[in-house]
Each structure stands twice: as structure tokens, then as C-alpha cells.
Amino acid sequence: MSNEERRQDARVRALMGASHEGFVVIDSEDRIRLLNEAAETQLGVERIAVMYAHASALEAPELEAALVEARVNGPWDSSAATLDVKGRSLACTLIPFADVERGAGESVAIVLRDEARSMDDLERAEAILDATGDGMLVFSPDGALTYFNPAARDIIGPRIDDYVGTHVTLAEILDTEPLLPEGAEATGAAWEATLVEPEHRIVQVRTSPVLDSSGASIGTVSNIRDITTEREMAMMKNEFVSTVSHELRTPLTSIKGYVDLIVDGEAGEINEIQREFLEIVQENSDRLVSLINDMLDISRIESGRIHLKVEPIEITDLIVGAAGTFKTMADQSSVELVTSVTEDIPRAAGDRDRIGQVLMNLVSNAIKYSPGGGTATIAARRDGDDVIVEVSDTGIGIKPEDQAGLFSKFYRVDSSLTRDIGGTGLGLSICKSIVELLGGRIWAESEFGEGSTFGFSLPVAPPDLVRTPAVEGPDAAAGTVLVVDRDPDVASLIETYLAKRGYDVLTAHSAQAAAQLAAQHRPRAITLDVMLDDSDGFDLLQQLKGNPETADIPVLVLSVVCDEGKSMRLGAANYLEKPVNQKRLVDVIDGLVGSVASPLVLVVDDDRGIVDSISRVLKAKGFAVMPAYDGKEAMAAVRRKRPHLMLLDLKMPEMDGYQVIQEIKTDPEMSDIPIVVMTAHRIDHSRMGIIAMAAEQVPKPFSAEELVERVESLLTEEA
Ligand code: ADP
């Protein structure tokens, strides 16, 4: 044997020694050439006694018979039947192979597995499954229910007995909505469902594939956990926190109020020591107030009772506001507060007050955790479809190991640097919830000792987020709203609300019908409940936004679950939680349709890019817009629908701007339509008189603000 062979041999022996399976090799002359420890036990023999002896020394006649069979018929295994060897039942596999040493004939390798032992394993597994509190369901690869444990029966009820052996989906077994979200099986993601029967049980379901050793799927296993009690406890806790916090606020208000009065000298002179003590009371009651507010916020967020009002927000305004609010605090800490905002930041879709709160929290931290002074910068920029806001400081920074927990409740970095700085560890967790509910993300980057940057993103506000109608077109049915809800009763309720208000209502109960009606009738707005029978409402939303024919139609998502973030991300114009309040619904629809009071502006330019960009700005400001690309089209549009104002380019093919002005201003029917002339070229002096008839001129290039300002001021003059 070479050294390598010797090593190889030692490895094989070690492996065989450690195996639970028995290995025996019988050579072509029926002599026992190899027998490992497991085989000694299984066959009840001693290796020293049987090695090199005839196979009959094993005293296992059945095995000898199998040996003969394997030599004649090739590999043999007893997976169907087991061998009974000295009272043990053994599963055997026999594999013949050429006996190289002896030249002729075949050796046979025998693998022996203790069936009793694997039965033990199975029983043990079943005992474990029987004892677990979670329901377990096992499905075969073709989707038949093959096993469930007693806990599954407790949760689902005796009807589960009927499903064994049948092809049935989990949703059918649970008799619930929603159906398993797509891809949940592959990822093993958990989803929740409320059972119809037994009523009001809430379960959490996790389905994962069962793979064999080669990685092939041999079925799925679903774990079902009854989380009703957990939910009830969480609700009770939230209610408790909410009640206590409200109760605490009342006495605290008077404590704070009176201390403030005393400090301000309203109760007579106080001496320096009294002042010092009272200021400590003041400071601490302020801390208590902010702690209570944070607790209330957390309980609102966790119970889903937080109401977010999504509207287009001017991030720059919020930044300027926050910088103003924290100027004194920054000065006191010798922190220089800087703002850096790139131009043309679009408006973000968010809740103004709540985003203000997030921003203030980050700015206050930046100053608070910069005890040695330094610079705090609030910056904003656009990144694709997001508006990004970042607050950076040159403060104490955070070690990498402390960064993971930053956004968890009550998390505070514990170090000599932070111990003296007051705080509850709730702020960032509230910020995270708010930002994520609005469809954004939040993150932190930091270098210990150098400083930190906290950033968050919000989706850019879709152009129809404010009361804005779609571009006026001849096909747009006036005042039609499409109501999509799988429940006909709910749909007809919404229809009643809207019909009372004067809208024509179309209803659809399935995604397919909705998509068809939307493309066919191009309604002014769509209300969409995301729970539909034939498809996920979010898919429908995506489909509507992806189809150029329907992309412009504002969609109001109605849902019983808090889907605001997802809805806005997918392009919804607004979101309302069910049950909806009649007035709120009608208000939002009015706003979306914009038919009530939006002034109509006609934009005329042969450059489509210009018409587009002006339309977008105007729509974002709540105007209705009618486009025209030359003088003739402009005149046709004016005759079809009288605009409140007209933005007009001068140099155009066919009929130029001068002619348009002349025609409109000399027709008594139309002469009072204000016209704003957009001029890029030098004005033709010989036709100055005509220009003078127009209300105003704006020289190109102009800024969006400038234009909107002119339009707004002209229209208010009109009114
Ligand atoms: P609080 O400031 O009330 O403790 P937060 O949730 O706002 O609670 O912050 C959690 C923790 O994150 C803080 O306790 C602090 O340790 C760390 N942290 C937050 N902002 C900064 C920052 N700008 N620089 C350094 N550490 C910070």
C-alpha cells in the first residue's frame, strides 16, 4: 500500500466505524472481508471471530440467500421487505462488485439499517409533532394533505379529518382570505389570516418546502400558529398604555402650567434657589410630556390607529421650519446648523405633520449627540422616484455593533458619552414606523467619533395626488367614477354616496371587469378595494398604472388593513381606511376629480415637451389643463370648452399666436379670457398692438413657480 492508499484506507475505516449503518463485504469466495462496529451489533457477532471466516459464520441464512440472489440478479435491496436476523428486523442493500484481488467472481457489499431504530425515529418525530402547540400540516408534492397533528385539529376543527388524502389548498382548509400570497411558499414568509370558522381566530401561517438530501422538493409543510391571544394581549396593552398616557397628561398639564407661571414671576418674586429648583421641575415635566407623547404614538402605531393624511409636501419648507425651530438649541450647544437643498426637489407624498415630526427628531438628535459642538446639516435631493432627506452631524457617532438596534423601541446606546444625554430611545422607532407607513425607508450611517448621518426617503408625489383632473379629452366621461369592490353591498353603498353628490357611478366586482371598464369609459376616478376574488387588487392597481390608457386616472385605495405605504408606492392617488366615512370619501373623490372648482387652463405651444412640463406643474397645483399644439387646435379647444385662462406661445405653424390673440380678443364671446403670452423670441414690433391685447407676457425661459404665480394672480383678479 502506498502512503496515500494507507491514508485513504484509514479514512474509510474511521467513517465506517462512526456509521450507524452496518457494512459487511463478502468476497467472491464467500469470505467475510470487512465488518464494521454497527454490523457487529446488528448481527450479534464479534469481528475477531468472523473476519475471514465463511459467510455462514454470520448465522444469518436469510442474508446468505440474499447474497446468492444479488450475485445472480444484480443489486438487491430489501426496502420492501426487511430481513429478520436473530430477532432484529434489518433493511439490507446488497451490491455485487468485481473481486479485483481474486480476479474471477464477484464480491458483495452489504449495507444494513436497523428498521427498529428508524421506527423509533419516526415515533419520536410523531411524539414531538403531537406535543407541539403549533398546528402542522404536511402536503405531498402533488398537493394532497398527507398528515396533520392534533394541534392542527384543535385550531381548524374536526372538519380537517375530511381533507386527509384529498387535494386541497391551505386557503380551503382554513376557509379564509387572503389566499397564500404569491411566493410565500418559496420564501417561507409568514402570513396572517382570520378564520371564518371557528370565528375570529387569527392564525399565522408559514409554509416551507420539504427537501430531500439532493435538494428536490418532496412536499410542503405548513405551520399554523393561533395568535388570537397574542393579538388580544397586544391590543389590551396598547389600550392600557393609551388610557394611562391620557390620564397622565391631565395632571401633568397643570403641574407644568403652574410651574411655568411661578417661574415667570406670576406668583410673586422668587429667589435664585427657588428658580433653580423650579427649572429642574420644568425640565423634567417637559421630559415626561414628551415621553407620554412618544408612548401614545407607539400605541397608536402598533394598534394601527395612526391616521396619516397623505398629501404632496414641500420638503424644503419642512427643512426650513425645522432649522428655525432648532436654531436656539443649536446655538446653545455651539452647533452650526446648515441646510443644503438642491434645486427642483419635487414634492413628496407624505403626511406633513408626521414628516415634520420625523425631521425634528433627527435634527434634535444631531444636535443632542454633538455635545462638543460641530456642524449639523439637513440636506434633501431627488433620487429617481424618491425624495431623500439626510441629517448629518459631526458628533459622537455610533459604533458598528451599536447600529443594528438603533430603530428598535427603547434602544439607547449605553456608553459614558450617552449616559448624561437625556432620552427614551423611542424617537427613532417612531420615525421608522411613520416613514415606512408612508412607503419610504429610513437608515443610519455612522463612524464612531466622527459623526452620523440619518436619512429617509419618501415617494415623489404622483401628479394626481392633489385635486387634479385628468387632461380634458373628448372621451373623458364627465363625472364618472368607477367603484371596484368585490362585495356588491359595499359597492352599492359607495355608489349611493357618490350618486347623491351627482357622480355617474360604474361598479365592478372583479379585477377583470374593472380593468375593462376603466379602459373603455376612462372614468375621472376609481375607488379600489384591494381584496378582490379573481386577483390581488394591488396587481390591478399596477396594471391600471402601467396601461397608458388608464395611467392618468387617479385611484383611491380603500382597505381594511393599513396598506397605505404599498398603495402609494404603486401609484395610488390617495388612500382611505375602511370603514369609510361618507363625507371623507366624497371630499377625496371631489379632490381627485377636481371638477368642483379647478380652473381650466389651456396651454398652447408647438413644443410638446413644453406643454407637458407646464401641464404637470399646473396639475400639481390643482388646475385642470387642456393642451393644444398649434393655433388651430387652440381655437377648436376654446370653442369646445371655455378655459379660464390661456397660456400661449407666439411662434407656431399653421396659425400663430398673434392670430389667436386677434381672433379671441375681437370675439365678444371670448374676449375676456385672459391670455398669458410666452415669448422666447424678440417680439415683432409691427405687431406690438396685438400683444398689448393679451393680459400678460412671460419671457421664456421662466421658472415653474413664476408661471404658476402669474396664472394664480390673474385668476384671482378675475374672480
Ligand atoms: P433617544 O435620543 O431619546 O435616546 P432615539 O430613538 O432618538 O432615542 O435614539 C436612539 C439612540 O440612538 C440614542 O439613544 C443614541 O444612542 C443613538 N443616536 C440617535 N441619533 C444619534 C446621533 N445623531 N448621533 C449619535 N447617536 C445617536
Side-chain angles (χ1 to χ4, degrees):
M1 254 196 219
S2 71
N3 274 349
E4 181 46 38
E5 279 168 340
R6 234 187 299 274
R7 269 198 296 275
Q8 180 76 13
D9 193 53
R11 273 197 290 261
V12 172
R13 271 170 209 289
L15 267 176
M16 286 196 306
S19 169
H20 285 302
E21 301 197 327
F23 294 117
V24 182
V25 174
I26 311 280
D27 68 18
S28 55
E29 288 159 5
D30 279 351
R31 291 189 192 285
I32 300 164
R33 305 292 294 202
L34 185 151
L35 187 119
N36 73 344
E37 282 86 340
E40 278 187 294
T41 324
Q42 288 166 329
L43 299 170
V45 293
E46 275 191 47
R47 191 155 37 164
I48 312 181
V50 298
M51 274 302 263
Y52 304 106
H54 188 266
S56 58
L58 296 175
E59 294 175 39
E62 287 197 34
L63 199 59
E64 275 184 81
L67 204 62
V68 176
E69 220 181 303
R71 285 214 178 99
V72 178
N73 296 329
W76 185 93
D77 80 60
S78 66
S79 47
T82 51
L83 290 189
D84 203 13
V85 181
K86 296 172 198 163
R88 269 172 188 271
S89 65
L90 293 178
C92 319
T93 307
L94 287 82
I95 299 164
F97 62 99
D99 188 343
V100 187
E101 248 171 86
R102 266 155 292 276
E106 280 183 320
S107 301
V108 177
I110 305 172
V111 182
L112 302 167
R113 212 173 49 247
D114 221 323
E115 276 295 274
R117 192 189 163 88
S118 44
M119 281 308 287
D120 274 0
D121 285 350
L122 210 70
E123 274 163 24
R124 202 173 313 140
E126 276 194 14
I128 293 172
L129 287 177
D130 284 359
T132 47
D134 286 1
M136 304 290 276
L137 303 176
V138 180
F139 295 88
S140 63
D142 64 345
L145 176 65
T146 54
Y147 170 85
F148 65 85
N149 70 347
R153 198 168 187 276
D154 289 345
I155 296 172
I156 295 161
R159 68 189 153 88
I160 191 162
D161 297 342
D162 303 336
Y163 292 125
V164 177
T166 66
H167 290 78
V168 61
T169 65
L170 245 186
E172 283 170 294
I173 296 179
L174 296 174
D175 185 16
T176 180
E177 296 280 347
L179 303 171
L180 183 62
E182 224 175 290
E185 262 175 53
T187 58
W191 51 285
E192 274 173 28
T194 305
L195 301 188
V196 180
E197 182 62 50
E199 217 177 329
H200 302 316
R201 302 306 292 174
I202 304 169
V203 293
Q204 190 184 53
V205 184
R206 194 186 288 277
T207 295
S208 26
V210 184
L211 306 178
D212 70 7
S213 54
S214 71
S217 167
I218 50 171
T220 56
V221 77
S222 296
N223 173 297
I224 300 176
R225 171 172 296 182
D226 188 335
I227 53 167
T228 318
T229 322
E230 264 169 61
R231 278 301 150 85
E232 282 168 359
M233 295 293 285
M235 250 165 68
M236 269 167 59
K237 185 199 76 187
N238 274 325
E239 247 153 55
F240 175 74
V241 170
S242 162
T243 317
V244 169
S245 310
H246 275 121
E247 290 302 317
L248 285 175
R249 266 185 172 183
T250 320
L252 202 54
T253 311
S254 48
I255 294 174
K256 205 179 126 43
Y258 286 109
V259 172
D260 288 352
L261 284 177
I262 299 171
V263 173
D264 289 347
E266 300 288 333
E269 280 285 297
I270 50 170
N271 65 34
E272 267 320 292
I273 297 178
Q274 288 167 335
R275 171 175 302 277
E276 192 185 316
F277 288 2
L278 284 170
E279 278 173 357
I280 295 174
V281 176
Q282 235 179 357
E283 204 179 293
N284 281 286
S285 51
D286 283 345
R287 273 175 62 178
L288 208 48
V289 170
S290 80
L291 171 65
I292 290 170
N293 287 342
D294 284 354
M295 302 270 284
L296 268 173
D297 274 349
I298 296 256
S299 95
R300 275 198 210 108
I301 289 168
E302 289 187 350
S303 61
R305 271 186 315 213
I306 184 162
H307 275 288
L308 296 170
K309 194 167 149 282
V310 179
E311 55 192 342
I313 53 178
E314 227 42 276
I315 288 291
T316 316
D317 290 353
L318 287 181
I319 292 179
V320 171
T325 309
F326 284 100
K327 186 168 183 333
T328 320
M329 177 177 166
D331 286 348
Q332 280 166 357
S333 315
S334 319
V335 172
E336 193 192 351
L337 198 53
V338 182
T339 58
S340 150
V341 180
T342 58
E343 267 177 40
D344 291 340
I345 295 190
R347 301 204 283 178
D351 179 308
R352 190 184 315 275
D353 295 343
R354 291 296 182 175
I355 290 301
Q357 178 185 353
V358 170
L359 193 59
M360 305 243 251
N361 215 309
L362 299 184
V363 176
S364 133
N365 279 352
I367 299 170
K368 210 162 79 168
Y369 295 104
S370 302
T375 311
T377 312
I378 321 174
R381 64 192 152 83
R382 181 189 187 136
D383 180 19
D385 290 338
D386 288 329
V387 175
I388 309 266
V389 182
E390 281 178 324
V391 180
S392 351
D393 61 61
T394 54
I396 59 173
I398 307 154
K399 290 184 183 150
E401 64 265 33
D402 292 328
Q403 290 176 16
L406 285 176
F407 296 99
S408 333
K409 258 190 304 186
F410 295 111
Y411 181 87
R412 303 205 67 216
V413 175
D414 184 27
S415 74
S416 53
L417 289 171
T418 53
R419 225 158 286 147
D420 295 338
I421 304 173
T424 58
L426 287 174
L428 287 178
S429 117
I430 296 173
C431 292
K432 180 172 156 66
S433 301
I434 293 174
V435 169
E436 288 179 355
L437 281 172
L438 290 167
R441 289 177 303 114
I442 191 163
W443 60 88
E445 287 156 15
S446 185
E447 193 78 47
F448 184 58
E450 300 287 322
S452 316
T453 298
F454 284 80
F456 65 90
S457 69
L458 282 178
V460 168
D464 50 9
L465 187 55
V466 275
R467 50 181 195 94
T468 317
V471 172
E472 283 289 323
D475 306 334
T480 302
V481 177
L482 171 62
V483 173
V484 188
D485 201 305
R486 71 168 172 178
D487 184 336
D489 295 339
V490 176
S492 86
L493 177 72
I494 298 176
E495 180 174 2
T496 319
Y497 289 167
L498 294 175
K500 258 205 245 169
R501 178 74 176 181
Y503 288 105
D504 291 332
V505 178
L506 295 167
T507 54
H509 308 306
S510 71
Q512 207 195 348
Q516 225 166 21
L517 285 175
Q520 199 179 336
H521 295 271
R522 317 229 314 123
R524 302 290 293 270
I526 298 175
T527 76
L528 169 66
D529 185 313
V530 290
M531 296 251 248
L532 293 173
D533 284 332
D534 58 337
S535 119
D536 183 347
F538 288 116
D539 292 342
L540 173 61
L541 177 56
Q542 231 168 351
Q543 190 188 337
L544 289 170
K545 290 289 148 191
N547 176 354
E549 278 190 28
T550 51
D552 283 350
I553 307 172
V555 177
L556 164 63
V557 169
L558 305 175
S559 169
V560 283
V561 272
C562 224
D563 286 325
E564 187 143 13
K566 187 169 178 192
S567 308
M568 303 313 293
R569 254 199 317 276
L570 292 179
N574 213 326
Y575 173 89
L576 283 180
E577 210 169 302
K578 274 185 166 182
V580 285
N581 158 294
Q582 172 172 352
K583 181 169 176 332
R584 183 95 183 92
L585 177 78
V586 171
D587 276 356
V588 172
I589 292 291
D590 279 354
L592 291 179
V593 170
S595 62
V596 190
S598 314
L600 179 63
V601 179
L602 175 63
V603 182
V604 194
D605 199 314
D606 57 336
D607 182 335
R608 283 179 184 256
I610 293 186
V611 174
D612 258 16
S613 64
I614 295 178
S615 304
R616 207 163 320 131
V617 172
L618 289 174
K619 286 209 274 169
K621 286 285 177 184
F623 294 102
V625 178
M626 212 161 34
Y629 306 107
D630 63 46
K632 280 214 169 119
E633 275 189 38
M635 289 314 302
V638 172
R639 297 213 169 86
R640 195 170 64 233
K641 192 151 188 180
R642 209 172 167 282
H644 294 89
L645 184 139
M646 187 166 176
L647 285 171
L648 181 67
D649 182 31
L650 286 179
K651 262 190 79 148
M652 287 183 300
E654 301 270 346
M655 181 179 178
D656 68 14
Y658 296 102
Q659 287 169 277
V660 173
I661 299 175
Q662 228 165 357
E663 198 151 316
I664 288 184
K665 289 296 168 187
T666 50
D667 182 337
E669 286 280 301
M670 303 190 273
S671 62
D672 60 344
I673 300 175
I675 300 177
V676 178
V677 173
M678 308 182 285
T679 49
H681 306 278
R682 286 187 36 187
I683 289 170
D684 182 346
H685 280 281
S686 63
R687 295 157 96 181
M688 211 46 196
I690 300 177
I691 299 266
M693 290 191 233
E696 257 192 69
Q697 293 177 34
V698 273
K700 283 182 186 172
F702 43 76
S703 74
E705 285 76 37
E706 212 178 322
L707 184 76
V708 169
E709 206 175 287
R710 300 272 182 115
V711 169
E712 273 174 344
S713 74
L714 269 175
L715 284 174
T716 26
E717 265 171 44
E718 276 291 288

